[in-house]
Amino acid sequence: MKLHKVLLSIVASTCLSFSFVAQAKITVFAAASMTNVLQEIKSEYVKANPKNEMDFSFASSSVLARQISQGAPAQVFISANQKWMDFLEEKGAIETKSRRDLVGNRLVMVAPKESKIENVDVLNSQWHSHLANTYLAVGDPDHVPAGKYAKEAFIFLKQWGDLETKLARANNVRAALALVEQGESPLGVVYATDAAASQKVKTVAIFPENSHPAIEYPVAIVKGQDNEESRQFLAYLQSESAVKIFQKFGFSIK
């Protein structure tokens, strides 16, 4: 009888173990501009790793970094700039050895698809006349990476002083894109990949690469989450399959 109970205990323990493996979940916090590409990468990753579940939290890198620093349950973080990954590294909130640069992007100006504006020369401030009594949609330069890149570009182009009070400051780059898509703003500054993902806007200008720091997306495993699932997903992000998807969506490979 005792042997029977021991065997039942072992079977139950084994079942729980298999159940745990079957329900292994990876939670990825990622910059809003990664929304479309990571959804497709997830689809392919889960096909190759059916025992792994995956959840995403998309928002401004600043919001996500602060949440992680306060203990939010993330395993992997992908930032739209180096600053917010540096922020977490300084706080000891990431596994430093896992940090690497994943992909790059470009900064562009967009207009609604039906707009009469076709081309904007960002080197010449005459384009400001398109704003008239409206506002330029951007991620908030105080904390959103895309907005910070935009601010740095306009400072370089000596236009920031005139534009600072003409901004519709959005909580993240996708929110800035939505303002243009909905016709709330005649122009907006977003990433090239955001423009490519939308059927409602068109690119009217590409900012000179030397007008702002390189747009880089660093990735790292969150402190205390250095496990097989996290390492496996991090490796997949750099695989040939993932690289093809990143390139399909317009990201450059680091």
Side-chain angles (χ1 to χ4, degrees):
M1 188 67 179
K2 289 183 178 179
L3 178 60
H4 179 67
K5 289 182 177 179
V6 170
L7 289 173
L8 284 176
S9 177
I10 292 172
V11 171
S13 175
T14 303
C15 288
L16 285 172
S17 176
F18 280 124
S19 175
F20 174 77
V21 171
Q23 296 178 3
K25 180 178 288 187
I26 304 168
T27 301
V28 180
F29 279 26
S33 52
M34 282 264 167
T35 301
N36 298 76
V37 69
L38 285 183
Q39 292 290 3
E40 184 157 329
I41 284 176
K42 172 185 175 180
S43 177
E44 295 303 311
Y45 179 76
V46 171
K47 287 179 186 176
N49 301 274
K51 291 183 178 179
N52 289 347
E53 296 179 16
M54 185 174 297
D55 284 339
F56 289 115
S57 180
F58 295 109
S60 169
S61 299
S62 60
V63 171
L64 298 174
R66 290 191 180 106
Q67 289 176 350
I68 290 171
S69 72
Q70 293 166 8
Q75 279 72 57
V76 175
F77 175 51
I78 306 175
S79 174
N81 69 357
Q82 300 290 352
K83 174 185 174 179
W84 290 109
M85 192 65 81
D86 291 342
F87 168 81
L88 289 180
E89 185 167 341
E90 289 166 5
K91 289 185 174 293
I94 61 169
E95 299 288 349
T96 304
K97 290 184 179 179
S98 72
R99 178 177 177 173
R100 60 210 63 188
D101 292 340
L102 188 60
V103 293
N105 215 331
R106 293 292 304 273
L107 195 67
V108 302
M109 186 175 289
V110 294
K113 199 78 170 181
E114 304 304 320
S115 172
K116 293 181 180 179
I117 303 171
E118 294 296 335
N119 293 289
V120 168
D121 180 5
V122 293
L123 302 180
N124 189 327
S125 62
Q126 289 183 357
W127 70 267
H128 297 189
S129 62
H130 291 306
L131 298 177
N133 297 318
T134 60
Y135 295 88
L136 177 70
V138 297
D140 190 337
D142 289 339
H143 67 90
V144 178
K148 289 179 176 293
Y149 289 123
K151 177 179 178 179
E152 288 162 330
F154 287 129
I155 289 174
F156 178 87
L157 297 170
K158 296 180 171 47
Q159 298 175 29
W160 178 247
D162 293 331
L163 291 172
E164 189 173 3
T165 60
K166 298 288 292 180
L167 304 179
R169 299 170 180 248
N171 289 332
N172 59 65
V173 70
R174 285 302 176 92
L177 178 68
L179 289 174
V180 182
E181 289 179 326
Q182 296 161 10
E184 299 292 331
S185 293
L187 294 167
V189 179
V190 298
Y191 297 124
T193 52
D194 297 308
S198 174
Q199 300 298 314
K200 298 180 180 179
V201 303
K202 57 186 175 183
T203 298
V204 294
I206 300 174
F207 286 83
E209 289 192 75
N210 67 342
S211 67
H212 56 80
I215 300 173
E216 300 171 329
Y217 289 71
V219 59
I221 294 172
V222 175
K223 191 72 173 180
Q225 301 297 328
D226 187 5
N227 51 49
E228 183 179 351
E229 290 79 19
S230 297
R231 291 193 298 272
Q232 190 176 48
F233 181 61
L234 196 61
Y236 185 81
L237 287 175
Q238 299 165 89
S239 70
E240 184 177 348
S241 296
V243 164
K244 288 180 179 178
I245 297 173
F246 279 123
Q247 290 176 324
K248 170 186 172 183
F249 280 83
F251 290 92
S252 58
I253 305 304
K254 304 304 290 183

